[in-house]
Amino acid sequence: MTSRGPMGNDRMGKVCVILAVLSARATAFALRLLGRRATSMPGLVALRLCPGLLGHLLRQLDAFVVVTGTNGKTTTVALLHAILDGQDQPWIFNDGGANLTQGLVSALLPYTAVSGALRHRRALLEVDEATLPGIVRLRAPTLLVVTNVLRDQLDRYGEVDHALACLRAGVRDASTTLVANADDPLCASLGLGRDLTYYFGIADAPQDGVARSEARDGAFCLQCGAELEYTRFVFAQMGDYRCPAGHFARPERHVAGSLPASDAGRLGVSERLSGSRPVDRFDLPLTVAGLYNVYNLLAAVTAARVLGYSPARIERGLGFYRAPTGRMQTVCETPRVVLSLIKNPAGATAVLRAIEADAVDKTVCFVINDADADGRDVSWLWDIDLESFVPRAKCAVWWCAGTRGPDMALRLAYAGVERSAITVVAQLDLVPGHVMHSGEPVYVLSTYTALHALSDMFAVQRGRAV
Amino acid sequence: MKPLRIIHLFPELLNLYADQGNIAVLRDRALRRGWPVDVRQVRLGETLDLAGVDIILLGGGSDREQEVVARALPMYRPDLAHAADAGLPILAVCGGYQLLGEYYELASGERITGLRLVDVATRAGGTRLIGNVAVERLTPSGQGTGETVVGFENHVGRTHHEYPAFGRVLRGHGNNGEDGLEGLCHKGIVATYIHGPLLPKNPHVADQLLRTALRRRGLDRPLAPLDDTFEWAAHKSVLQMLGLSDGGSVRERLVRS
């Protein structure tokens, strides 16, 4: 594809690009002087001055890998970046989950010359589902990874169906290779009737035998509306399913993971990228905690395999992986404080399952905000499977904070926590002192807008302890 | 006492806004007062036996799910219409509210026929009405009661009707974003766009449903007060967020009653 100027090849277009790049650089510099993160604002400034800039940059890429889906985008990008990035082949990526248009521009700008030419020609970008159709119109991705399609912040995007429509628009270009989750019926439906599609999934996982109640979206045949029959659930609507009328069933997995019986084990992978090839088997270190993260790991591994990376190179790359901010991130060692983002019922339920597996006495804290980026509607708190978590949590003291702390306290009371064991903390900056007081391990679950502030506050506490 | 029987209609399809939270509240508030509770889920296609039923809940779904439900509604209509006429408490939220009515008209002009329990019409509007919402409860004659109800609304449908409203909009959009009214009350029906879910932060609405159910059993007596500190703290925090800080007096009046 030839590189076109943002407004055709005229001089005005070039001037506009130069102005946009310079202004964005100045903005990024100023933000850093102020000690703030420059993940979105420089892009916003550049786009104001030159709306065509993103297309101009994306069209220069030789490889354009996009990761989207409801949950696990940031972790999957971090895993895939650890695998792909190397001195021989540098990849641009949007660290920190800034996945709207301005965030994508901000990620590309540090590699953009004043002339508007990109210095690296490979980019791995996390893209929000609602932003995807606009991005794909500018430049079809070489490879598109869809992690899953779950119920998310309803007030932002309407409903699951809207997210699905955005994703369908994203996979329309036949030249794009799709990597999709076979175990999730909504996600798997994206591959119907298209070539160049590779599916990943979990073939074997130890079962805990506990009956859970979770929100299962899309557990219905999209063609006839019949309820899908499941022979196995992994979590949320993920598992082995088929339409009773035979319209739709879980597709064959090209890359299938088998979980070890103990935490110390390795992830078994069996792979068959094309029907004519024999099944390859290899195993990889489980560099992530929680079943939901195994899906992210498999998504990254499948993408890397499709891009031609060997199992040995993948294993080496995974050694460089560090959990992104607030993705089961240990933010303090003594006492151990683990910070995890929660933003929708399936993700939060999966995080709780991982916390439950840590069978020590612990303190649990929920920080729930309701800004736009968190989801203004907090009804999702009632779709989290807290009922099965509370009796197994080994937690005697529960804390709630954030603008919706009182809502969360009420939710916990209904999940079976004694009201006298729940405390609402009115101010965010008081949270670390309260929750670390007992010296027990602490799990802090937070929505997006409190996440970075909490990470910083716990870092300060850590500094004091040393 | 015979268990309080609650029916949750089509929970596998109409559960978009955590409507099981409403069930949990009704169950909890009955149990805390020493009444046994029997919650039954009726899935789409299953038979609905209304004998001995005290309360029905109908939640909301996505447009696609509501269309699936609407196709199966005719088989349920005669029994439900009879029960509604006899004053059975029915709580319908968001999509459930729309499904109680005559029809929902999509942007394309296509009409999805509802249960036709009430003479209510809903038409898709151009924008989504989204956000925190607070209303003042109204008496059947339309007088303000001083009681507030808080929650969240998210709907494209604009609903119009001639019945008494559930509340007067203090903040938010309500039925249609135009007439300042929210929801509907008719006989035992309480229909509203307010979710969040509705009942946890609005325990007085839950108790109203329970009181109506008991009255229908001939037990017309006040409900034992419960410790609702958490409930009113969450209620009040929404009022404050919306700049309606006089929630305190409302709360005290309710606790006393």
Side-chain angles (χ1 to χ4, degrees), chain B residues 168-236:
Chain B
R168 173 176 73 88
V169 177
L170 301 173
R171 294 287 187 276
H173 304 284
N175 283 335
N176 45 53
E178 289 161 10
D179 61 17
L181 296 174
E182 206 296 319
L184 169 159
C185 288
H186 175 61
K187 295 191 172 173
I189 295 174
V190 174
T192 175
Y193 276 115
I194 303 177
H195 65 267
L198 173 72
L199 297 182
K201 284 194 291 279
N202 299 294
H204 51 318
V205 179
D207 280 357
Q208 180 200 331
L209 289 164
L210 291 173
R211 235 179 348 249
T212 311
L214 290 181
R215 205 176 301 128
R216 281 170 44 81
R217 287 196 184 184
L219 301 166
D220 199 357
R221 60 179 182 215
L223 302 180
L226 301 173
D227 174 7
D228 285 333
T229 317
F230 277 40
E231 281 79 355
W232 291 114
H235 182 104
K236 199 177 168 191

Side-chain angles (χ1 to χ4, degrees), chain A residues 189-206:
Chain A
S189 73
L190 295 170
L192 289 173
R194 95 188 285 289
D195 297 327
L196 283 177
T197 300
Y198 296 92
Y199 288 108
F200 62 90
I202 292 178
D204 287 302

Side-chain angles (χ1 to χ4, degrees), chain A residues 66-302:
Chain A
V66 169
V67 176
T68 190
T70 313
N71 285 350
K73 294 185 283 286
T74 304
T75 298
T76 303
V77 163
L79 285 162
L80 191 52
H81 187 254
I83 297 168
L84 301 183
D85 195 44
Q87 287 196 333
D88 50 333
Q89 287 189 342
W91 284 74
I92 301 169
F93 80 122
N94 49 345
D95 191 4
N99 59 19
L100 306 177
T101 308
Q102 60 267 32
L104 307 182
V105 176
S106 299
L108 294 166
L109 277 168
Y111 307 95
T112 307
V114 177
S115 66
L118 269 181
R119 279 199 294 278
H120 298 325
R121 298 301 172 101
R122 296 182 187 83
L124 163 61
L125 297 179
E126 168 186 340
V127 178
D128 182 87
E129 304 97 291
T131 304
L132 185 69
I135 298 302
V136 169
R137 271 196 297 277
L138 298 174
R139 162 75 201 265
T142 342
L143 183 78
L144 177 71
V145 181
V146 185
T147 55
N148 48 52
V149 184
L150 299 159
R151 185 176 294 195
D152 200 21
Q153 304 145 11
L154 298 168
D155 57 316
R156 199 148 63 112
Y157 299 139
E159 290 146 2
V160 169
D161 292 8
H162 177 65
L164 201 56
C166 290
L167 293 169
R168 285 210 190 92
V171 304
R172 203 164 288 149
D173 194 297
S175 70
T176 297
T177 300
L178 172 66
V179 169
N181 188 336
D183 297 355
D184 172 356
L186 287 176
C187 186
S189 73
L190 295 170
L192 289 173
R194 95 188 285 289
D195 297 327
L196 283 177
T197 300
Y198 296 92
Y199 288 108
F200 62 90
I202 292 178
D204 287 302
Q207 298 288 315
D208 64 4
V210 179
R212 313 278 188 171
S213 115
E214 299 175 35
R216 302 193 196 282
D217 298 301
F220 296 87
C221 175
L222 290 173
Q223 271 182 55
C224 68
E227 193 168 355
L228 297 175
E229 291 173 351
Y230 277 78
T231 53
R232 188 181 70 116
F233 276 115
V234 182
F235 78 89
Q237 76 262 24
M238 278 164 242
D240 291 339
Y241 52 85
R242 57 185 291 276
C243 159
H247 290 115
F248 181 51
R250 180 183 58 72
E252 279 300 312
R253 307 177 183 100
H254 296 87
V255 172
S258 299
L259 272 117
S262 79
D263 289 348
R266 287 165 66 89
L267 175 71
V269 180
S270 62
E271 170 194 288
R272 189 173 201 174
L273 291 183
S274 80
S276 58
R277 289 188 20 201
V279 176
D280 279 335
R281 287 180 207 286
F282 52 92
D283 55 70
L284 291 168
L286 256 175
T287 44
V288 289
L291 189 57
Y292 63 105
N293 270 329
V294 176
Y295 274 111
N296 300 331
L297 179 58
L298 286 166
V301 168
T302 308

